[in-house]
Amino acid sequence: MASVSRPKLTSGRLTYPLSLVIFAASYFLTAKSALLLATVHVKVTPIWPPTGLALAACLAFGQRWWPGVFLGALAVNLTTGAWLSAFPIAVGNTLEAVAGATLIARAVPSDRIFCTVRNVFRFLRFGVLAAPLVSAGIGSLSVMLLEPDASRSICDLWWTWWLGNACGALVVTPLFLALAARSKLEALSLEQALHTVLTVLTALYAFGGWLHPDTAHYPLVFFTIPTLIWAAFRLGPLAIASTLALNVLIASASTANGIGPFSQYPTNASFLLLDAFILIVGGTTYVMSALVAEQKSTQSMLRNRGELLEQRVVESTRQLEEEREHLESILINMRDAVWSVSPDGGKVLFVNKVVENIYGHKPEEFYADPELWLNVVHPDDRPFVHAGFADLLQGANFDAVYRIVRADGEIRWVHDMGYPVTDAAGERTRLDGITRDITAEKRIETELRLAQAAFENTTEGIVITDAETRIVAVNRAFTAITGYPESDLLGKTPRLWQSKRHNGAVYKELWAAIRTTGQWRGELWNRRKNGEIFPALENVSAIRDRDGQILNYVAVVSDISGVKQFEKQLFQLAHHDALTQLPNRLLLTDRVDHALSHAHREGHRVAVLFIDLDRFKNINDSLGHAVGDQLLCEIASRLTSAVHENDTVARLGGDEFAIAQERIKTPACAAMLAEVLVNALSEPVRVDEHELFITPSIGISIYPDDAKGTDDLIRHADAAMYHAKRLGRNRFQFYSKSLTQEILEKVRLETQLRQALKRGELEVFYQPQINLLDGAVSGAEALVRWCHPEIGLVSPTKFIPLAEESGIICQIGEFVLREACRQAKTWLDHGFSFQQIAVNVSSQQLHDSDLVELVSRTLAETGLDARYLEVEITETVVMQQMEKTLRILEDLRTLGVNLAVDDFGTGYSSLGYLKQLPVHRLKIDQSFVMDVPHENNDAIIRAIAAMARSLRLELIAEGVETAAQHAFLAAEGCQLGQGYLFGKSVPSSEFSFAPRPVPANAVDLSFLGT
């Protein structure tokens, strides 16, 4: 019978508590069904399947299932008869299952219960016969003692209890184990189906009175035995268990109804006889099945052994054949040519086939021409070879090394040895000899001479020792490297120049590698004779003989002092900033990695502070990179002075720095350092004749609070730094998760913005620019809008800065320029009159692209006259790279394009700078307009108006929203205005050229101030 594996409950199926509840419920239902056959007492039945169910569960899933047995038994007994005996009976049922499973598990592996006859007898002895004694004893005593109305004797109770439990164990346990061993349900085969049908029919015939009227004949029960034998021999454990179960069900039902061979006695006696029959027949069947399994196992073992013996015979035959072929190959391919000639040399008596390999002539040719071997001798060697052979003919031995010329013209070296063979009388009977091709040996000799020359003349030191590591030879390079003369080294060991810098483990590793692989390569620190320690790259090899015994050790030593110095310089260049000599991002990342490892082990925190210098670009652009570089070096010095020795200050690039602060207890430590840095960097810096002021924006992230890894920690500090900038600069901010969400939103929006360009989601709106004196539409400002297909109109304040950061502002600017020129041309063609269409140009467009060429090409493609186009640049952009900006503006003016300075008053331009600009209009920033009439802003606008009059420039005010602002601006000499008072920005289809109303007090009074 096949083995039964032990399944496991996994978390993917049922949890342990739920499994216990399900099992207890199954026990309860099975028990309730069995109690329908109760005879001697309401709690005692002659067939008790729950015993088999409990025993099988403990065997299959482990003894930790006893709570399920106990709960199920307790529930059954509480709901059946008197309740006083329920608890001890449940204890007895539980002990029965645990004891049976324990005894079986100790004697039989759980997966081998039904594999051998011995194991089956153990199962029958411990699980079927012994374990039910526990439940029968405790249960019958409990009924007699705790239930006074019990009418039967204790012997009747015990006997019925024991047999009923034993029968349940024999029938149900194997069935449950066989089903549990199956990973999935399988369809019945034809044989299994036929067997099942015959089992049911024979059981009905034997026990149920089917097809015959008289059922009270015991011989009828034997009709059920063939199906059991069939299952034992052919179908396996599940079929046996199923056959027994079907017979028990039909026999029990028939006996309970007074039908069948066991019905002629009182009910309890009938069932006890049925139990005895089931135990005898079932136990015999399982023993028979085990015998069949053992027989099959024995047959399989004998068959396997026969196959193994056959394989060994075949293998031995093959090995013998291989050995025979090997010996034959040796004879055929022997390296040396063996020859034998007559005493006078006039006849060849024998040559082997190797002569063909050496001389290039077949053996038959030597037999035909005995002088052939002398004729192939190299002409230069022929005289002494002939002389030596003549001595051989006189009885002397012949031993010569010479050259031959093969049949194919190749020259080879041979070692030829010959000797005379004499008989007992001392007469020469033949001349025998061996000729060996030593061409390879000669080549090796040449190579050895070259190797010796290389040994003496190489620039690398070479040391050769014997097997005991005593030095036997060194070359001149080694003596030059170490300073030791050869006389000081011979006979000594390499310990002579050890530096003592390495511990014993290094040398143990070295010798272990040589023993296992025959070679070690690595770097060691050695000591010269003058005491100087130097790094060396060494390659140590073991030289072995043919038997694998070590003969010598060879070490090649290279002085890599220069290489180490170069590596140090390379490391410095690769891991440090060239300007400030601070660690760069690569080294910072490595150090933060180490810091996080220590922090994880020791349980402290690590802070990363990301520092960006506010408006550093303005200094670089206005004063030049030389001044900016000196400023960065001073900043690096101040940062380094402000941190502890174990902290790392790094320059990440441009005006970005980072600090890794190790071993901090709380985030407050990082805040204290940030406060120190803000104060330190806010102090003025003197560079040449310039006194510079710079402020930092600092972002802080903490490990492990904000991130677990280095990259995330630095990225989060960067996000916090940008948050500090948005809050006004010159401050520090801690990272929060919302910043990551902002960054993700920013990345998502940037991706969508790039797609918006391709999908045509961007649209140009137009805001009218009005003559403040007569209300006529003087022109319009082209403003880009993003109509997102999902979220609707996206604010320009949200996507324009993003476009500038991501570098796509130039593409958007080109789109707006082209669309504005096209629309202006359309309006002109339709008869509308205006002075200009204003287009904003960003800093990137002005400096990073060929703006002049773009404007010229756009005007040509759209057909718009250049005088209608006005290019607006902000005051801040004008002040960046003044010379380059001035040159670009001059080129635009040459095209005929009008120029305006946007957001005027927010920058730092002076009257001197403005005089140089070829602009014709200033646009007053809306921050000065929104509070007028107001004392402070009134004065600012008057000053701007006075400056514009002095430079003969037009003025336009943005953000005009009230009639009071309109009147004030007109009175101060501002010619144009735009804002919500005159109209919001709208698509071209909604734009109106109708004049706007003018307040009665909108009169230019600026001449009064001139």
Side-chain angles (χ1 to χ4, degrees):
M1 183 175 287
S3 63
V4 178
S5 62
R6 182 171 180 172
K8 296 181 180 179
L9 290 178
T10 63
S11 60
R13 296 179 182 176
L14 297 175
T15 60
Y16 175 63
L18 180 59
S19 301
L20 289 182
V21 172
I22 294 175
F23 175 76
S26 302
Y27 188 101
F28 177 82
L29 295 174
T30 305
K32 279 296 186 180
S33 301
L35 287 175
L36 296 175
L37 301 176
T39 54
V40 296
H41 189 271
V42 294
K43 294 185 178 181
V44 183
T45 178
I47 297 178
W48 187 246
T51 293
L53 188 65
L55 178 60
C58 290
L59 284 172
F61 304 126
Q63 297 176 14
R64 65 195 186 104
W65 278 61
W66 69 264
V69 179
F70 178 77
L71 292 175
L74 183 62
V76 170
N77 287 281
L78 285 175
T79 58
T80 305
W83 59 271
L84 290 175
S85 62
F87 184 82
I89 291 174
V91 172
N93 290 339
T94 305
L95 291 176
E96 173 188 50
V98 173
T102 302
L103 291 172
I104 293 172
R106 286 181 178 178
V108 184
S110 60
D111 60 345
R112 303 285 297 173
I113 293 177
F114 300 105
C115 290
T116 66
V117 174
R118 185 177 183 183
N119 291 348
V120 170
F121 275 119
R122 285 171 174 167
F123 168 71
L124 295 174
R125 183 165 66 251
F126 297 138
V128 176
L129 300 178
L133 294 175
V134 178
S135 177
I138 295 174
S140 58
L141 283 174
S142 300
V143 170
M144 293 301 297
L145 295 175
L146 300 177
E147 297 188 15
D149 58 343
S151 60
R152 304 297 288 266
S153 67
I154 190 171
C155 291
D156 288 341
L157 291 175
W158 182 89
W159 185 251
T160 303
W161 203 307
W162 177 70
L163 278 177
N165 287 17
C167 183
L170 179 66
V171 174
V172 176
T173 300
L175 178 62
F176 187 92
L177 292 176
L179 290 172
R182 296 204 167 199
S183 60
K184 61 180 181 179
L185 295 178
E186 299 175 358
L188 292 176
S189 66
L190 180 61
E191 183 180 3
Q192 290 172 330
L194 179 61
H195 175 267
T196 302
V197 172
L198 288 178
T199 297
V200 173
L201 294 178
T202 55
L204 290 173
Y205 182 79
F207 300 115
W210 180 55
L211 297 181
H212 60 91
D214 189 3
T215 62
H217 291 287
Y218 284 115
L220 291 174
V221 300
F222 294 105
F223 279 100
T224 63
I225 294 177
T227 57
L228 288 169
I229 296 175
W230 184 2
F233 277 84
R234 292 280 300 170
L235 302 178
L238 182 58
I240 296 174
S242 302
T243 303
L244 275 177
L246 289 172
N247 279 288
V248 168
L249 287 173
I250 295 173
S252 298
S254 299
T255 303
N257 289 283
I259 304 172
F262 302 106
S263 64
Q264 53 187 309
Y265 297 100
T267 303
N268 192 56
S270 298
F271 273 108
L272 295 182
L273 288 173
L274 174 60
D275 288 345
F277 172 75
I278 292 170
L279 290 172
I280 293 171
V281 173
T284 303
T285 303
Y286 282 117
V287 171
M288 186 186 307
S289 175
L291 283 171
V292 172
E294 288 181 348
Q295 182 181 11
K296 289 181 179 179
S297 176
T298 303
Q299 291 174 350
S300 176
M301 181 183 65
L302 291 175
R303 184 166 55 252
N304 291 338
R305 287 184 177 178
E307 292 175 355
L308 180 61
L309 181 59
E310 182 179 353
Q311 290 176 0
R312 287 179 177 176
V313 170
V314 172
E315 181 65 19
S316 298
T317 303
R318 185 186 63 79
Q319 290 178 354
L320 289 174
E321 181 65 23
E322 288 179 353
E323 290 177 2
R324 184 190 66 78
E325 293 177 355
H326 182 61
L327 291 174
E328 184 177 323
S329 175
I330 291 175
L331 291 174
I332 293 174
N333 300 292
M334 187 175 179
R335 179 185 176 187
D336 299 334
V338 180
W339 50 267
S340 181
V341 299
S342 61
D344 60 357
K347 182 179 181 181
V348 175
L349 303 177
F350 170 78
V351 291
N352 66 354
K353 295 183 178 180
V354 180
V355 295
E356 185 174 356
N357 298 333
I358 298 176
Y359 290 93
H361 294 280
K362 295 182 179 180
E364 292 79 7
E365 295 181 61
F366 286 92
Y367 288 121
D369 183 5
E371 299 292 326
L372 177 60
W373 77 274
L374 289 173
N375 294 334
V376 299
V377 176
H378 192 280
D380 294 343
D381 299 337
R382 196 171 293 166
F384 79 86
V385 173
H386 282 205
F389 188 70
D391 293 339
L392 176 62
L393 294 177
Q394 298 300 318
N397 288 340
F398 173 70
D399 191 339
V401 175
Y402 57 90
R403 289 168 293 175
I404 63 170
V405 180
R406 282 171 44 90
D408 57 7
E410 180 188 356
I411 297 176
R412 290 192 179 183
W413 285 89
V414 296
H415 183 190
D416 208 354
M417 295 175 289
Y419 55 91
V421 178
T422 59
D423 58 12
E427 295 292 330
R428 291 193 297 274
T429 57
R430 65 181 187 276
L431 305 175
D432 290 346
I434 296 176
T435 302
R436 172 171 294 177
D437 187 346
I438 61 169
T439 305
E441 286 84 343
K442 282 292 185 178
R443 186 181 304 113
I444 291 172
E445 287 182 12
T446 303
E447 292 174 353
L448 286 175
R449 285 195 298 271
L450 293 174
Q452 180 64 26
F455 177 78
E456 290 299 335
N457 296 288
T458 184
T459 57
E460 296 178 318
I462 300 176
V463 183
I464 302 176
T465 73
D466 59 17
E468 286 73 35
T469 71
R470 290 187 296 267
I471 299 172
V472 297
V474 296
N475 67 349
R476 287 193 295 268
F478 185 80
T479 61
I481 291 172
T482 62
Y484 288 99
E486 184 177 10
S487 58
D488 289 352
L489 296 170
L490 296 180
K492 305 292 177 55
T493 68
R495 294 188 183 91
L496 179 65
W497 59 81
Q498 287 183 1
S499 66
K500 309 302 182 186
R501 271 200 178 187
H502 306 289
N503 55 33
V506 174
Y507 296 103
K508 287 182 180 179
E509 181 183 345
L510 182 153
W511 288 111
I514 293 175
R515 282 193 297 270
T516 55
T517 66
Q519 188 176 27
W520 178 86
R521 179 181 174 86
E523 295 181 6
L524 292 174
W525 286 90
N526 296 328
R527 186 185 302 274
R528 306 188 205 273
K529 186 176 182 180
N530 62 8
E532 177 189 353
I533 295 176
F534 69 98
L537 177 64
E538 299 194 17
N539 193 332
V540 184
S541 304
I543 308 301
R544 301 178 185 269
D545 60 15
R546 293 182 178 179
D547 298 326
Q549 299 298 317
I550 294 177
L551 300 176
N552 300 94
Y553 296 103
V554 177
V556 180
V557 181
S558 301
D559 184 350
I560 58 172
S561 302
V563 174
K564 285 292 183 182
Q565 183 63 30
F566 183 65
E567 286 179 353
K568 184 177 180 181
Q569 294 173 356
L570 283 180
F571 183 87
Q572 178 71 18
L573 292 174
H575 294 83
H576 290 79
D577 174 50
L579 176 62
T580 62
Q581 300 306 308
L582 292 177
N584 60 11
R585 183 183 291 270
L586 182 63
L587 185 54
L588 172 70
T589 302
D590 181 65
R591 290 187 179 177
V592 173
D593 284 339
H594 286 294
L596 297 190
S597 299
H598 288 298
H600 179 71
R601 291 195 302 268
E602 300 173 12
H604 55 73
R605 286 181 166 88
V606 175
V608 170
L609 288 77
F610 201 104
I611 305 160
D612 185 87
L613 304 181
D614 300 329
R615 298 187 176 92
F616 174 78
K617 190 174 186 299
N618 293 345
I619 296 175
N620 236 8
D621 292 342
S622 58
L623 302 179
H625 290 284
V627 173
D629 289 348
Q630 293 182 61
L631 175 60
L632 289 174
C633 291
E634 175 60 24
I635 295 298
S637 176
R638 293 187 183 184
L639 293 176
T640 305
S641 301
V643 302
H644 293 113
E645 182 179 357
N646 291 332
D647 297 336
T648 298
V649 179
R651 183 187 177 208
L652 305 183
D655 58 349
E656 292 180 339
F657 295 83
I659 294 177
Q661 188 181 17
E662 301 185 35
R663 300 178 182 276
I664 64 172
K665 295 182 179 179
T666 65
C669 299
M672 291 173 61
L673 176 59
E675 189 68 39
V676 170
L677 296 176
V678 169
N679 294 332
L681 298 186
S682 297
E683 292 294 322
V685 179
R686 189 75 183 180
V687 178
D688 297 334
E689 72 277 8
H690 306 284
E691 186 176 33
L692 305 175
F693 292 87
I694 199 78
T695 59
S697 294
I698 303 175
I700 305 172
S701 63
I702 306 294
Y703 167 88
D705 306 51
D706 300 326
K708 306 297 184 185
T710 298
D711 292 340
D712 288 340
L713 202 61
I714 295 174
R715 186 169 61 254
H716 290 171
D718 188 14
M721 179 274 294
Y722 277 107
H723 186 52
K725 279 190 176 295
R726 288 196 296 271
L727 294 178
R729 299 182 173 87
N730 194 26
R731 65 187 67 219
F732 64 88
Q733 284 291 315
F734 280 92
Y735 169 78
S736 65
K737 289 185 178 179
S738 62
L739 295 181
T740 300
Q741 188 61 37
E742 287 181 19
I743 292 172
L744 293 175
E745 176 65 21
K746 191 175 180 180
V747 172
R748 185 185 66 83
L749 196 63
E750 178 184 336
T751 302
Q752 293 178 343
L753 182 57
R754 293 182 183 276
Q755 294 171 347
L757 276 168
K758 300 177 182 178
R759 297 173 180 173
E761 296 173 7
L762 297 183
E763 186 176 353
V764 177
F765 280 32
Y766 301 91
Q767 186 174 34
Q769 296 177 335
I770 305 300
N771 187 309
L772 295 181
L773 296 178
D774 60 12
V777 176
S778 174
E781 181 179 7
L783 302 169
V784 67
R785 294 293 183 265
W786 181 9
C787 298
H788 195 284
E790 297 177 1
I791 61 179
L793 205 60
V794 181
S795 172
T797 59
K798 192 172 184 180
F799 74 85
I800 291 298
L802 181 62
E804 292 177 342
E805 290 178 17
S806 60
I808 59 177
I809 190 65
C810 292
Q811 300 174 47
I812 295 176
E814 182 177 349
F815 163 75
V816 173
L817 176 65
R818 190 177 308 277
E819 187 63 21
C821 290
R822 184 197 62 76
Q823 185 59 53
K825 183 65 168 66
T826 301
W827 281 335
L828 289 172
D829 291 345
H830 284 77
F832 294 108
S833 177
F834 57 91
Q835 293 181 9
Q836 74 284 325
I837 186 82
V839 177
N840 292 284
V841 173
S842 70
S843 173
Q844 290 185 36
Q845 278 184 283
L846 189 65
H847 296 135
D848 299 342
S849 63
D850 194 346
L851 180 63
V852 178
E853 193 277 332
L854 173 63
V855 171
S856 176
R857 186 176 68 252
T858 303
L859 291 173
E861 291 174 356
T862 59
L864 181 67
D865 193 323
R867 62 192 176 91
Y868 289 104
L869 176 62
E870 179 179 88
V871 173
E872 290 187 0
I873 53 176
T874 64
E875 186 178 8
T876 303
V877 171
V878 170
M879 299 307 298
Q880 296 174 358
Q881 303 181 35
M882 187 66 181
E883 293 183 4
K884 182 178 180 182
T885 302
L886 186 59
R887 185 172 60 253
I888 295 173
L889 296 181
E890 290 286 0
D891 291 342
L892 288 173
R893 200 74 181 96
T894 302
L895 290 177
V897 174
N898 296 315
L899 302 174
V901 177
D902 196 8
D903 298 339
F904 188 76
T906 60
Y908 301 95
S909 59
S910 65
L911 184 62
Y913 281 130
L914 285 176
K915 287 181 177 179
Q916 301 178 46
L917 298 177
V919 299
H920 80 288
R921 181 177 294 168
L922 301 180
K923 177 178 280 190
I924 302 174
D925 188 70
Q926 62 181 353
S927 61
F928 301 120
V929 176
M930 60 183 178
D931 290 333
V932 297
H934 186 276
E935 182 178 350
N936 292 334
N937 284 352
D938 291 359
I940 293 173
I941 291 180
R942 287 190 181 101
I944 294 174
M947 181 184 295
R949 283 194 299 272
S950 66
L951 296 175
R952 300 183 181 280
L953 299 177
E954 283 187 352
L955 268 183
I956 180 172
E958 61 181 354
V960 181
E961 297 183 357
T962 67
Q965 293 171 349
H966 182 169
F968 174 81
L969 292 168
E972 294 302 326
C974 182
Q975 294 89 351
L976 303 174
Q978 67 182 85
Y980 284 180
L981 179 63
F982 310 120
K984 298 181 180 180
S985 57
V986 294
S988 59
S989 59
E990 301 176 18
F991 189 85
S992 172
F993 282 92
R996 273 43 170 188
V998 179
N1001 56 347
V1003 180
D1004 184 1
L1005 302 176
S1006 60
F1007 64 90
L1008 296 177
T1010 58

